[in-house]
Amino acid sequence: MKKFVYFSVVFLSLILASILFTIFSFSLLFSQDSGVKEFEENFNIRLPRGTVSEKIYDDYGGFHNDGMKLYKFVFTPEGKKSFVSHIVKQKNWKKLPLSQAYQALMYGGEVKDFSGNVTGFGGFAKEVGLPKISKGFWKAIGDRSVLTARFIDYENLDTKTLINLNSYDFYLAIYDAEKGILYMFKINT
């Protein structure tokens, strides 16, 4: 009787172990990179298979989870072609250079308001390590998780609106056509 109980426990343990191994193997196999997932959820675009992401900068965790993030996405040769053909067809991806408002925000500059007053802006790109990109495409969207960002047209942000903003809550995607690299910048202040 003891041998039967011992054999049953070992047998059931082996079956349970193989089931757990199978479940964890599938979850690891089909798990998705958090940067890729964040990009796809916010920009409503599936990145091509084989896309590799790298988190270049992340200082989130401040007051009310304020901070900045920069991801870099590298495509396979087939992935580059697929991604570029997709964004070229989209009307909401714009050719570089950035608009005056985003140019000032990202790389620094001065903007005049309607009264002629000049407001200077720093440059987030330098702080997070985003290179200056001259050929490619870009798209900006408001961070939908922030209530106030839903009322600002970040996609068409102009200098008049920029001057009146008290905080920034947006994503900016920039595709470098020369290097075939996509960057995703996120900021919440």
Side-chain angles (χ1 to χ4, degrees):
M1 183 72 175
K2 279 185 172 181
K3 286 184 181 182
F4 177 74
V5 172
Y6 178 73
F7 177 76
S8 298
V9 168
V10 170
F11 182 73
L12 290 174
S13 297
L14 288 173
I15 290 176
L16 182 61
S18 64
I19 290 171
L20 290 173
F21 177 77
T22 304
I23 291 170
F24 287 122
S25 295
F26 277 112
S27 68
L28 288 175
L29 183 63
F30 294 108
S31 67
Q32 195 176 34
D33 180 295
S34 64
V36 170
K37 186 177 179 183
E38 186 173 0
F39 180 86
E40 290 179 346
E41 287 176 355
N42 287 286
F43 286 91
N44 295 320
I45 295 177
R46 297 227 12 110
L47 292 177
R49 282 183 172 245
T51 300
V52 177
S53 77
E54 175 187 353
K55 188 185 293 184
I56 295 176
Y57 185 90
D58 186 352
D59 72 350
Y60 269 83
F63 185 68
H64 290 293
N65 205 26
D66 288 354
M68 294 186 290
K69 243 188 238 188
L70 180 66
Y71 279 96
K72 173 182 174 179
F73 302 100
V74 180
F75 303 115
T76 63
E78 300 82 30
K80 281 183 207 176
K81 291 176 190 171
S82 171
F83 183 74
V84 170
S85 70
H86 181 75
I87 64 173
V88 165
K89 293 175 189 173
Q90 304 296 311
K91 294 184 189 329
N92 51 7
W93 281 80
K94 301 168 182 151
K95 279 191 167 192
L96 287 171
L98 294 170
S99 68
Q100 185 182 2
Y102 283 110
Q103 186 69 32
L105 275 174
M106 298 308 296
Y107 298 105
E110 295 181 341
V111 176
K112 287 185 183 180
D113 66 10
F114 62 92
S115 303
N117 299 321
V118 176
T119 303
F121 292 92
F124 297 130
K126 185 176 182 180
E127 186 174 343
V128 300
L130 176 66
K132 181 83 168 159
I133 302 165
S134 57
K135 288 186 179 180
F137 300 90
W138 68 279
K139 180 179 179 181
I141 57 169
D143 183 352
R144 295 181 199 109
S145 68
V146 178
L147 181 63
T148 56
R150 296 177 191 171
F151 301 108
I152 298 166
D153 184 8
Y154 277 107
E155 197 167 324
N156 299 301
L157 185 68
D158 59 14
T159 55
K160 293 174 188 171
T161 306
L162 174 62
I163 289 172
N164 293 310
L165 289 178
N166 296 320
S167 66
Y168 308 113
D169 299 294
F170 66 89
Y171 286 90
L172 177 65
I174 302 176
Y175 178 73
D176 184 340
E178 292 177 330
K179 295 182 180 173
I181 296 173
L182 173 67
Y183 294 92
M184 179 181 71
F185 172 75
K186 178 184 180 188
I187 185 167
N188 295 105
T189 61

